[in-house]
Amino acid sequence: MKIGNKILKGFEFWLAVFNISDWMYRNHNNYEWIYCNHMKKKNRKLKKIIIVGAGGMGKEVLWTLMDINKVSNVFDVIGFLDDDKKLHGKKINGYSILGGINWLSNKKKIGCIIAIGDSRIREKVVKKLKNFDVSFPSIIHPSVIMSEFVTVGKGTIIHAGAIVPPDSEIGNFVFINLRSQIGHDCKIKDFVSIMAGVTVTGDTIIEKGAYIASGVTVGDDIKIGKWSVVGIGSAIGNDVKPYSLYLGNPGNFIRKIKDEKSRPRL
């Protein structure tokens, strides 16, 4: 019996080693830096993080941060900020909504994750936040499959289940939601929002601030113009003009977006 127990314990040990090694192989592109930093600084100070935006996207960002911390304890999530005073003092999954952006006035060296889906509003919030002593880390969910030949800018969020093949470029303050796929050699410019379940095929360029709604499919070698909006479930087979709304299958030009008033509610 003692020999049998030793054999069983030995088997369990090597099974654990195999599972850890398999996880590291599948996720090394995204989290190798976390593992290395953990080994170098076991007692390192956690990065203080505040989530800006206390809506549904804020909940998703908190989820991603919590899952990252399950892999390696990296972030100290302080709570949420939102300029909607009606939300102040409430909690989201145990984390307080501390106040508006001005809460940062007397704070130092805090990382801000901007959980706002509307590209225009996100850009405005970034401009405000640059007046404070904050940084803009990017966060990538542990389940993301991403080539080592992909570049990612600052302040970008990539949620669970996304796939990004080689030689694509992801800009600053980009949002890529659940289960979206980016093709090879794509260029996703600053402040682009790609919502859940979007498929962007190879060699596509999505210009600054474009908003791609859930379930959209974009064909190969397409250019999506800056600050354009592609409506939910659309199939885009031709270039999308800047400052324009497209909708349907196939995607059709609906109208120009002349100003904030004519911009669809996102």
Side-chain angles (χ1 to χ4, degrees):
M1 292 295 291
K2 289 183 179 179
I3 294 173
N5 287 339
K6 287 182 179 179
I7 292 172
L8 181 60
K9 287 180 180 179
F11 173 77
E12 289 172 346
F13 170 79
W14 286 111
L15 180 62
V17 169
F18 172 80
N19 287 336
I20 293 169
S21 300
D22 180 61
W23 178 88
M24 288 178 66
Y25 174 76
R26 287 184 288 107
N27 295 276
H28 73 281
N29 294 325
N30 302 336
Y31 285 92
E32 186 174 41
W33 65 274
I34 293 177
Y35 177 76
C36 291
N37 285 343
H38 176 68
M39 296 305 292
K40 288 177 183 177
K41 298 181 180 180
K42 290 185 179 179
N43 297 318
R44 74 196 185 290
K45 211 171 180 181
L46 298 182
K47 176 69 176 176
K48 291 185 181 297
I49 287 288
I50 199 90
I51 301 169
V52 181
M57 186 175 292
K59 294 179 181 180
E60 293 177 354
V61 166
L62 176 60
W63 171 33
T64 290
L65 289 169
M66 292 174 73
D67 280 0
I68 290 171
N69 278 348
K70 287 175 185 176
V71 174
S72 181
N73 202 22
V74 177
F75 298 116
D76 175 14
V77 181
I78 301 169
F80 292 84
L81 297 181
D82 198 298
D83 282 342
D84 185 350
K85 293 181 179 180
K86 294 178 182 178
L87 298 176
H88 297 175
K90 295 184 178 180
K91 288 191 175 185
I92 296 176
N93 297 327
Y95 290 85
S96 296
I97 303 171
L98 301 168
I101 288 176
N102 288 333
W103 180 89
L104 294 164
S105 297
N106 59 348
K107 306 298 187 297
K108 293 183 177 181
K109 297 181 180 179
I110 292 180
C112 288
I113 306 294
I114 304 166
I116 297 170
D118 189 308
S119 307
R120 280 286 190 194
I121 297 174
R122 190 158 70 249
E123 185 188 41
K124 290 177 181 178
V125 169
V126 168
K127 289 178 180 177
K128 289 181 181 179
L129 288 171
K130 286 181 177 178
N131 295 317
F132 302 98
D133 185 9
V134 299
S135 61
F136 300 102
S138 290
I139 59 167
I140 301 171
H141 192 276
S143 67
V144 170
I145 300 172
M146 187 166 68
S147 166
E148 62 186 299
F149 302 108
V150 171
T151 59
V152 178
K154 66 181 178 181
T156 286
I157 301 166
I158 306 180
H159 278 323
I163 300 174
V164 190
D167 298 318
S168 284
E169 300 173 11
I170 312 296
N172 301 316
F173 304 105
V174 170
F175 176 69
I176 300 177
N177 210 339
L178 304 165
R179 297 177 292 99
S180 285
Q181 299 182 40
I182 309 299
H184 63 84
D185 297 284
C186 289
K187 290 180 173 58
I188 313 298
K189 303 294 183 69
D190 297 351
F191 295 102
V192 165
S193 293
I194 296 175
M195 306 314 283
V198 169
T199 299
V200 178
T201 50
D203 296 297
T204 289
I205 298 172
I206 304 181
E207 295 286 2
K208 181 179 179 179
Y211 181 96
I212 315 298
S214 298
V216 168
T217 299
V218 181
D220 290 277
D221 198 21
I222 298 293
K223 185 174 182 179
I224 308 290
K226 63 182 180 179
W227 301 109
S228 58
V229 175
V230 180
I232 190 167
S234 297
I236 302 299
N238 296 297
D239 290 353
V240 169
K241 298 174 183 178
Y243 301 97
S244 299
L245 172 64
Y246 280 69
L247 182 64
N249 184 0
N252 293 309
F253 171 80
I254 303 300
R255 58 179 170 83
K256 292 293 287 184
I257 302 172
K258 297 178 181 179
D259 51 32
E260 288 299 310
K261 291 181 180 180
S262 63
R263 186 171 173 79
R265 186 176 180 182
L266 304 175

